[in-house]
Amino acid sequence: MEAQSQEKRQASLDIVASRDTLHEGAGQKLTLYASTTVALAALGGLLFGYDIGVIGGCLTLDGFRETMGWPPTSDECGPGRPPEPLEVDLEKGWITSAFMLGCFVASPFAGYCSDRFGRWLTVLAGTVIFFVGGAMQTGANGVELMIAGRAVSGISIGVLSTVVPLYIAEVSPANLRGSLVTLQQLGITFGILVAFCVNLFVERVVGSTWDWRISLGAQCVIALFMGLGM
């Protein structure tokens, strides 16, 4: 029994690459196909971060507030700043949280979709859904459509945030898998940064009543690039 136990332990150790072997680059190499696929899949994280960051800036743009039927934002700061009407606060809360609500609803089904339809097809479908949600937000003419668009985008991200790391892990070389999977998290944080920069650009440079549509429409461009590349 002891001999069998040692043999099993040794067999388990044999299938684990040593640290030195990994640093020597043994095993599969990162091909052009794998590099492109991983980069495109990691855009799913960029979409997640962008949609998180972009809405905060849009809520303060005068053109956005006019389209939603809200009063212009006040230039005052500090305790003397007049409070937002309660109805506006509620609508802002729904617009912001609808995205996360969509993630919450869709994420439990990500595993089933991934096993049933495959990682690639699930990622592609999630990208298409995100494009639809982004288009709804960009073309919104009121609070209701904006909330619906945010929820649809959230449904997409609820799936992509689970399946994208799996897809990256499957197409990555074994010795680089851990490093490449972290690209999704990097994409999330970078997407938030990009969203802030885009909002700053449209506010300072564009300065039009439709400037917020540029901010929200940019996510459709990212989703389109990801979908065509996939």
Side-chain angles (χ1 to χ4, degrees):
M1 292 293 294
E2 185 177 352
Q4 292 180 349
S5 178
Q6 290 179 349
E7 290 178 359
K8 290 181 179 179
R9 188 181 301 111
Q10 185 60 44
S12 299
L13 292 174
D14 288 342
I15 65 174
V16 180
S18 68
R19 184 187 305 174
D20 294 338
T21 301
L22 290 176
H23 283 307
E24 290 171 2
Q28 295 176 302
K29 294 182 179 180
L30 187 60
T31 63
L32 178 61
Y33 171 80
S35 302
T36 305
T37 303
V38 168
L40 288 170
L43 288 178
L46 183 65
L47 292 175
F48 193 174
Y50 189 90
D51 215 342
I52 290 175
V54 73
I55 195 62
C58 290
L59 293 175
T60 62
L61 295 176
D62 289 338
F64 181 87
R65 297 177 66 89
E66 181 181 351
T67 303
M68 298 298 115
W70 301 342
T73 185
S74 174
D75 294 331
E76 297 182 25
C77 298
R81 181 185 177 92
E84 291 271 31
L86 178 59
E87 181 181 358
V88 173
D89 274 339
L90 289 174
E91 291 176 347
K92 286 168 64 177
W94 273 108
I95 290 174
T96 304
S97 60
F99 177 72
M100 291 303 176
L101 181 61
C103 292
F104 175 78
V105 171
S107 57
F109 302 98
Y112 171 78
C113 294
S114 178
D115 292 336
R116 177 68 176 81
F117 305 107
R119 318 299 191 244
W120 178 83
L121 189 58
T122 303
V123 171
L124 183 61
T127 306
V128 173
I129 294 173
F130 188 93
F131 181 87
V132 173
M136 292 171 65
Q137 295 176 59
T138 306
N141 57 359
V143 174
E144 295 80 6
L145 187 56
M146 179 60 64
I147 293 174
R150 295 279 295 168
V152 171
S153 294
I155 290 173
S156 166
I157 294 300
V159 175
L160 290 178
S161 60
T162 301
V163 181
V164 163
L166 296 176
Y167 184 63
I168 292 176
E170 287 184 345
V171 301
S172 300
N175 57 315
L176 297 174
R177 187 169 296 147
S179 300
L180 294 177
V181 168
T182 62
L183 289 177
Q184 193 216 17
Q185 182 61 45
L186 179 63
I188 294 174
T189 54
F190 184 67
I192 296 173
L193 173 63
V194 171
F196 289 165
C197 292
V198 171
N199 278 336
L200 181 63
F201 172 79
V202 299
E203 181 181 9
R204 298 293 178 84
V205 178
V206 180
S208 174
T209 55
W210 45 266
D211 50 4
W212 60 275
R213 297 188 190 274
I214 297 177
S215 295
L216 294 176
Q219 61 189 335
C220 296
V221 177
I222 301 173
L224 181 63
F225 181 77
M226 179 179 174
L228 293 176
M230 295 294 293

